[in-house]
Every structure is written in structure tokens, then in C-alpha cells.
Amino acid sequence: MSDLWAALGLVLALEGTLYALAPGAMKQAIRQMLELPDTVLRGGGVAALAIGVCIVWLVRG
């Protein structure tokens, strides 16, 4: 369970860094995402999920 909390903390730290360093670019990225069809966003989400699971699987064995 502590690994889950560590992973969530890392996600928040990385996202926070992006918003802190480039808030304008993040706003623009969100605007562009709003214009994408749901299927494209869903495909990107599934790809990110698969990559994340593979990374965890490789690291944790």
C-alpha cells in the first residue's frame, strides 16, 4: 500500500512541476485536448495505461 501512495505522490509532483514551470503551455495543451474526439483521448489513455503497467511490471518484477 505504501508503494501506491509513493506512486500517487510522484504523479502529483511531476504534474505540479509542469504547471509550475509552464502554466501557459499547460493551458494551451488543455485547450487542444478539449478539441480532440473522445476516441483519440481514450486511445491515448489506454496507451498510457499499458505503458505504465509495463514499466511497473518491469521494475517490480
Side-chain angles (χ1 to χ4, degrees):
M1 189 66 167
S2 65
D3 287 341
L4 175 63
W5 288 113
L8 288 174
L10 183 59
V11 167
L12 289 173
L14 291 173
E15 287 213 17
T17 300
L18 292 174
Y19 283 104
L21 293 178
M26 292 303 292
K27 285 182 181 180
Q28 182 62 29
I30 291 170
R31 279 190 213 103
Q32 290 175 347
M33 281 191 290
L34 288 172
E35 296 175 6
L36 290 174
D38 288 349
T39 55
V40 173
L41 290 174
R42 187 172 290 116
V46 169
L49 171 65
I51 292 169
V53 168
C54 287
I55 289 172
V56 171
W57 181 63
L58 288 171
V59 170
R60 300 294 294 183

